[in-house]
Amino acid sequence: GQQLNQSPQSMFIQEGEDVSMNCTSSSIFNTWLWYKQDPGEGPVLLIALYKAGELTSNGRLTAQFGITRKDSFLNISASIPSDVGIYFCAGQLFNDMRFGAGTRLTVKP
Amino acid sequence: GAVVSQHPSRVICKSGTSVKIECRSLDFQATTMFWYRQFPKQSLMLMATSNEGSKATYEQGVEKDKFLINHASLTLSTLTVTSAHPEDSSFYICSARAGTLYEQYFGPGTRLTVT
């Protein structure tokens, strides 16, 4: 499907820093998902959001489902080297699922 | 969490041959399975959606006679790349979902190289 607008495309941060990335769309979704993909692997689901305004945490990760249902953000606090990878957002409306282009995160020790 | 497996993880084949990739949901029944293709440093490109027991729905530009998809059971879908060519070399990833209101879980991917 068509891609969502995901930003930034890449981030280079120092270990310990916080990270924020977001996705926007012109369409509404009933589910927002955030995945992480390591090189040569399939994406792994990090957080799933089902309600507008929902704020959900998974360890150092926090994500929110935008109130307009057209956007979502993912925050990573106190980054560590193993956070390196590509993060994809995905918006789902029944059988239609669209992906962002990904945010490539590099963490310097 | 839900687990999806893919086999093989890597395959090298000669041009003109066919290759079959299996996708299995190990701990849940998948009413729908999806097949994606991913080029280096790019996002996932949906190729087709398959529901158990019915024909797959292919995305525009994806040749259904070249990429044969079979979803014979609630835990298994297969993608067969027929008469493979070097330009078919790519990373193929499947995903599975228990229902329309459920999230997709991805397999680990299959790296296909056609020589």
Side-chain angles (χ1 to χ4, degrees):
Chain A
Q2 295 176 0
Q3 288 189 345
L4 305 174
N5 297 314
Q6 184 172 349
S7 64
Q9 285 187 332
S10 61
M11 301 183 74
F12 296 83
I13 62 170
Q14 210 68 36
E15 182 177 359
E17 290 183 353
D18 296 343
V19 173
S20 184
M21 59 192 79
N22 69 82
C23 270
T24 61
S25 171
S26 57
S27 306
I28 62 171
F29 296 103
N30 55 20
T31 305
W32 278 95
L33 305 154
W34 285 92
Y35 293 89
K36 182 191 177 198
Q37 186 177 26
D38 291 326
E41 301 288 335
V44 173
L45 181 64
L46 299 174
I47 292 180
L49 302 156
Y50 302 100
K51 293 181 183 178
E54 178 182 355
L55 183 71
T56 298
S57 293
N58 178 8
R60 293 178 296 105
L61 278 60
T62 301
Q64 184 158 31
F65 191 143
I67 198 73
T68 64
R69 297 173 64 189
K70 295 182 179 180
D71 62 301
S72 177
F73 72 74
L74 174 71
N75 288 342
I76 305 173
S77 63
S79 59
I80 59 177
S82 62
D83 291 334
V84 165
I86 303 176
Y87 293 79
F88 291 102
C89 64
Q92 181 170 286
L93 183 66
F94 302 111
N95 281 330
D96 183 22
M97 185 160 172
R98 305 182 187 184
F99 287 88
T103 295
R104 184 178 296 271
L105 179 63
T106 302
V107 181
K108 301 176 186 176
Chain B
V3 180
V4 176
S5 70
Q6 264 183 259
H7 178 80
S9 57
R10 291 177 179 272
V11 58
I12 301 173
C13 70
K14 292 186 177 180
S15 187
T17 62
S18 295
V19 174
K20 180 184 285 189
I21 303 170
E22 290 187 352
C23 178
R24 293 181 185 273
S25 58
L26 299 184
D27 53 0
F28 68 100
Q29 293 188 325
T31 57
T32 308
M33 286 186 169
F34 305 83
W35 287 94
Y36 294 84
R37 185 173 179 176
Q38 187 177 35
F39 293 102
K41 297 187 179 182
Q42 292 192 22
S43 188
L44 301 156
M45 183 185 78
L46 180 65
M47 299 175 66
T49 301
S50 74
N51 293 297
E52 185 264 340
S54 62
K55 290 183 179 180
T57 302
Y58 290 81
E59 294 297 301
Q60 192 172 6
V62 178
E63 299 176 59
K64 62 180 181 180
D65 294 330
K66 181 167 185 60
F67 298 99
L68 301 178
I69 291 172
N70 185 290
H71 192 163
S73 77
L74 286 171
T75 59
L76 173 64
S77 176
T78 60
L79 168 68
T80 301
V81 182
T82 62
S83 187
H85 291 286
E87 56 265 31
D88 298 325
S89 298
S90 190
F91 193 51
Y92 292 88
I93 310 174
C94 72
S95 70
R97 190 178 69 184
T100 56
L101 297 180
Y102 294 86
E103 53 272 13
Q104 291 185 30
Y105 290 91
F106 287 85
T110 296
R111 172 74 59 193
L112 170 64
T113 303
V114 184
T115 61

